[in-house]
């Protein structure tokens, strides 16, 4: 006799790099006001959700052992939030396959949370609108709405208020992954400390960078990349200066710390150049490993259909 077993819904979600990350002062709620331009990159995680007796999380991939599988995992929180909002039990098995470095400044946890929202919306047939999903995403973390949207977008507020940016061309990146991670709140605190002690330069608005994006020319974009958190990340991990220098010496147009770091992102003139830079950087002994990626790519998307299969 045939028994119908539910098939998992499988969702891919992208990493991100902040092309421009201007950090304002600390707000009363503990967050900083941001003016940022995100770009979603092809380096991604996949998350699958399937009905189960109880909520559980498994993680595989390179950094799996440092990712929590309890309620501190953002996917667990995403499942509980959607279940509570839709009046059901969060009884699903969530399997994460990590391609995005953990605590690397590339929004890996946010990608997984966004993927879980998209996956459960389909699995539970909730039919939630884009706006409703956005609202849940913002409750889970500042970067989660962008992980849902993908593409290129300006983020304001604490990063959760998004406006899409038209960017017609594909940009080619090399990512230098570091040995350990950096904690996002620690990096913001370090920036506050540096600002209290002196007057590190602050980025202005992203207007020139937005114009460069419309030209689609990587060489025009490269000198406009900027990140206020970079000085704080370098202060906490001074070895990243060598990594940044090595990427440019290897032929990248420019290098920046991605978000709160410690991943360094190098913009390259074209796909072939990215492959050459990645090979040279991998041999330079300045990072744990190297990845090639391109962007912009879409936000969290189902990559199989949610139909039930028979066995
Ligand atoms: C810095 C950025 C840049 O895109 O990304 P990452 O480098 O972490 O990937 C983000 O702002 C990170 O967003 P996300 O990782 O979702 O942070 P959240 O969970 O919302 O907040 C974690 C902590 O970071 C600090 N935080 C975060 C966002 C913000 N606008 N101001 C802050 O001060 C706060 O201390 C907060 O408690
Ligand atoms: N699904 C997840 N994937 C990775 N880390 C997670 C996840 N859920 C919670 N975390 C926790 O969040 C921290 C930050 O992870 P991550 O989102 O990868 O980095 P970042 O904030 O630098 O972009 C990790 O150190 C980990 O303890």
């Amino acid at each position: 006799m045939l028994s119908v077993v539910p098939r998992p819904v499988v969702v891919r979600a992208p990493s991100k790099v902040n092309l421009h990350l201007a950090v304002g002062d600390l707000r009363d709620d503990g967050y900083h006001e941001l003016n940022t331009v995100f770009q979603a990159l092809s380096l991604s995680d996949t998350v699958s959700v399937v009905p189960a007796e109880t909520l559980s999380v498994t993680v595989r991939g390179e950094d799996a052992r440092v990712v929590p599988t309890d309620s501190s995992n953002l996917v667990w929180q995403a499942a509980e939030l959607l279940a509570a909002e839709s009046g059901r039990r969060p009884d699903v098995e969530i399997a994460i396959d990590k391609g995005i470095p953990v605590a690397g400044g590339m929004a890996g946890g946010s990608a997984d949370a966004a993927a879980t929202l998209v996956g459960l919306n389909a699995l539970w047939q909730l039919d939630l609108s884009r706006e409703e999903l956005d609202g849940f995403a913002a409750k889970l973390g500042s970067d989660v709405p962008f992980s849902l949207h993908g593409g290129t977008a300006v983020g304001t507020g604490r990063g959760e208020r998004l406006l899409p940016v038209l960017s017609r061309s594909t940009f080619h990146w090399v990512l230098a992954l570091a040995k350990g991670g950096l904690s996002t709140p620690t990096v913001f605190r370090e920036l506050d400390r540096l600002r209290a002690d002196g007057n590190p330069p602050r980025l202005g608005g992203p207007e020139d960078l937005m114009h460069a994006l419309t030209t689609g020319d990587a060489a025009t974009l490269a000198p406009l990349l900027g990140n206020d958190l970079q000085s704080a990340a370098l202060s906490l991990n001074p070895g990243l200066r060598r990594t940044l220098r090595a990427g440019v010496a290897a032929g990248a147009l420019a290098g920046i710390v991605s978000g709160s770091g410690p991943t360094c992102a190098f913009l390259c003139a074209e796909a072939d150049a990215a492959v050459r830079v990645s090979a040279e950087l991998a041999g330079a002994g300045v990072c744990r490993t190297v990845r090639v990626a391109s962007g912009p790519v879409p936000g969290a998307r189902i990559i199989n259909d949610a139909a039930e299969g028979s066995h």
Side-chain angles (χ1 to χ4, degrees), residues 20-24 33-37 195 202-205 226-228:
H20 177 98
L21 178 51
V23 180
E33 197 68 20
L34 301 186
N35 190 351
T36 187
V37 181
R195 284 178 170 174
R202 290 182 187 234
L203 284 178
N227 177 2
D228 277 347

Side-chain angles (χ1 to χ4, degrees), residues 20 22 35-37 154 156 165 203-215 220-221 224:
H20 177 98
N35 190 351
T36 187
V37 181
V154 174
T156 53
V165 173
L203 284 178
E207 295 75 21
D208 292 347
L209 178 125
M210 306 264 273
H211 181 69
L213 279 172
T214 61
T215 70
T220 309
L221 181 65
L224 300 170

Side-chain angles (χ1 to χ4, degrees), residues 96-308:
I96 305 171
D97 196 345
K98 295 292 305 176
I100 306 174
V102 176
M106 298 201 72
S110 306
D112 300 343
T116 303
L117 293 177
V118 169
L120 292 180
N121 190 29
L123 187 75
W124 293 341
Q125 300 180 341
L126 299 175
D127 216 16
L128 294 167
S129 67
R130 207 72 234 186
E131 290 69 34
E132 287 170 306
L133 285 176
D134 275 347
F136 295 130
K139 281 189 187 163
L140 291 164
S142 310
D143 273 349
V144 185
F146 178 71
S147 301
L148 264 184
H149 280 262
T152 306
V154 174
T156 53
R158 58 188 168 86
E160 86 289 13
R161 290 209 307 264
L162 298 175
L163 271 181
V165 173
L166 252 188
S167 161
R168 279 193 199 87
S169 15
T170 296
F171 294 96
H172 300 280
W173 296 90
V174 171
L175 304 165
L177 278 51
K179 240 178 219 122
L182 277 175
S183 141
T184 299
T186 305
V187 176
F188 274 104
R189 266 199 305 277
E190 179 66 2
L191 180 63
D192 293 338
R193 191 189 69 76
L194 293 173
R195 284 178 170 174
D197 282 359
N199 209 0
R202 290 182 187 234
L203 284 178
E207 295 75 21
D208 292 347
L209 178 125
M210 306 264 273
H211 181 69
L213 279 172
T214 61
T215 70
D217 178 30
T220 309
L221 181 65
L224 300 170
L225 300 173
N227 177 2
D228 277 347
L229 289 180
Q230 181 159 312
S231 55
L234 293 178
S235 161
L236 294 166
N237 185 344
L240 295 177
R241 283 182 203 283
R242 253 183 87 215
T243 314
L244 288 171
R245 276 199 302 267
V248 174
L253 297 170
I256 43 164
V257 168
S258 179
S260 58
T263 307
C264 292
F266 298 96
L267 182 61
C268 297
E270 53 193 33
D272 288 354
V275 172
R276 283 195 300 276
V277 169
S278 71
E280 195 164 330
L281 201 54
V286 293
C287 56
R288 171 166 63 92
T289 185
V290 172
R291 296 276 180 273
V292 171
S294 60
V297 299
R301 289 282 184 287
I302 293 175
I303 55 171
N304 68 342
D305 61 288
E308 294 203 318

